[in-house]
Amino acid sequence: MLTTQLELPMSPLRQPDPAGGSLSIQDRFEAFHELNPWILAKLEAMTADCVERGLSRVGIGMLFEVLRYEYGRATLGDTWKLNNNFRSRYVRLLLEQHPEWGAVFELRGLRSA
């Protein structure tokens, strides 16, 4: 018998942050990154691979989805394994460590701190 989407177990709802919502995205990202340094290392390796293959543009969204698919590892510090709100922060860390990749990623302004 086929299982329908409604029969699948629901994932737990995201819990509010312990400070009552007062932590900024940047604060939450920094805490998450400190607990999960392997994520930046994997994103860095994947970006280097893309550049070596001759890609002139790389999207952090694509890298996040590949990371989710290939690694699917549990992370610490957030309900989501890879929170999409942290994508722009990871790109900025990559560019901080590898300014030569400046033309590879397109940056937009941050909407929140």
Side-chain angles (χ1 to χ4, degrees):
M1 176 178 207
L2 293 175
T3 302
T4 64
Q5 182 69 30
L6 295 175
E7 295 171 345
L8 296 174
M10 298 285 292
S11 60
L13 294 175
R14 183 182 164 90
Q15 300 297 313
D17 75 54
S22 63
L23 292 178
S24 69
I25 292 174
Q26 185 64 33
D27 291 337
R28 288 186 291 131
F29 168 73
E30 289 172 9
F32 180 81
H33 175 58
E34 187 174 324
L35 292 171
N36 303 283
W38 67 270
I39 294 173
L40 181 62
K42 294 294 183 187
L43 290 171
E44 186 176 23
M46 290 190 306
T47 302
D49 183 52
C50 288
V51 170
E52 287 172 15
R53 290 172 185 243
L55 274 71
S56 59
R57 301 294 283 187
V58 176
I60 190 65
M62 182 221 23
L63 295 178
F64 253 52
E65 296 307 324
V66 169
L67 193 61
R68 283 183 175 119
Y69 176 79
E70 288 188 356
Y71 297 94
R73 290 173 48 179
T75 55
L76 302 172
D78 198 86
T79 302
W80 309 109
K81 288 183 182 179
L82 284 174
N83 190 331
N84 287 340
N85 292 340
F86 299 157
R87 289 178 177 193
S88 63
R89 273 50 180 196
Y90 275 113
V91 169
R92 284 166 172 77
L93 278 181
L94 288 169
L95 291 177
E96 188 177 296
Q97 294 181 4
H98 298 276
E100 69 275 16
W101 291 344
V104 174
F105 291 104
E106 177 184 340
L107 284 182
R108 296 179 184 167
L110 294 176
R111 289 187 256 169
S112 61

